[in-house]
Amino acid sequence: MTLSRAPLGVLMLALIVTVGCGRLCPLGLGCRPSVQVTVEGSDDMNLGQAATVVVVQLAGSAEFQQTPVERFWTDAAGSLRADVVDRKRNLLLFPGESVGLDVPLHDDARFIGVAANLRHPHTDQWRSRVAVDDLDGRAAVIRIESRRLTVALR
């Protein structure tokens, strides 16, 4: 009986150790902290209309930065397939609204990409990305304005 309980005890100990950082981490993988992301809409964002905002974790940012706006919104999964390491977070943001997100980082995430589906965006200002290494415990604040989005670290 003692032999059959030993492997269970070892498994329980391993599980307790991997949960120590505040979230359940698969065995054998490092535990990374979550990133705090706040998405704010200005009162005149998107010409006074709501906008879809996407937050995605990326292993690389080349495809994200090069994908044309039309293709991104019609086939983001296909156009970003090689770079996406964790599921997208989609939200519908209204003018004057602020939404906070807690984003647990995937082990392979090197960038957080953000895109807003704006009616008439300034060229390539409908998206942005920030390197995970640049966050260094700081929160990312995404501001959606009339025709662009900006990212600031706090």
Side-chain angles (χ1 to χ4, degrees), residues 119-139:
R119 288 179 171 268
H120 302 289
H122 286 294
T123 305
D124 284 334
Q125 293 184 349
W126 56 273
R127 66 178 162 211
S128 187
R129 54 123 175 84
V130 62
V132 170
D133 289 343
D134 291 345
L135 292 169
D136 196 29
R138 297 184 289 177

Side-chain angles (χ1 to χ4, degrees), residues 13 17 25 27 50 61 69-70 84 95 119 124 146:
L13 179 60
V17 169
C25 298
L27 291 174
S61 65
V69 65
E70 297 83 12
V84 174
R119 288 179 171 268
D124 284 334
S146 62

Side-chain angles (χ1 to χ4, degrees), residues 92-153:
L92 183 62
L93 188 72
F94 292 89
E97 184 179 29
S98 179
V99 176
L101 301 172
D102 180 49
V103 181
L105 285 176
H106 187 280
D107 284 340
D108 296 328
R110 300 294 171 252
F111 298 92
I112 302 291
V114 183
N117 194 1
L118 302 173
R119 288 179 171 268
H120 302 289
H122 286 294
T123 305
D124 284 334
Q125 293 184 349
W126 56 273
R127 66 178 162 211
S128 187
R129 54 123 175 84
V130 62
V132 170
D133 289 343
D134 291 345
L135 292 169
D136 196 29
R138 297 184 289 177
V141 179
I142 293 96
R143 181 141 176 96
I144 312 299
E145 298 175 356
S146 62
R147 297 183 59 205
R148 68 183 185 145
L149 69 81
T150 60
V151 178
L153 302 180

Side-chain angles (χ1 to χ4, degrees), residues 62-95:
E63 292 296 325
F64 180 77
Q65 291 295 104
Q66 294 171 1
T67 299
V69 65
E70 297 83 12
R71 183 162 181 218
F72 181 88
W73 293 109
T74 58
D75 185 26
S79 61
L80 302 178
R81 181 178 24 248
D83 286 343
V84 174
V85 295
D86 201 12
R87 67 181 174 85
K88 296 187 307 182
R89 297 223 180 165
N90 297 320
L91 59 108
L92 183 62
L93 188 72
F94 292 89

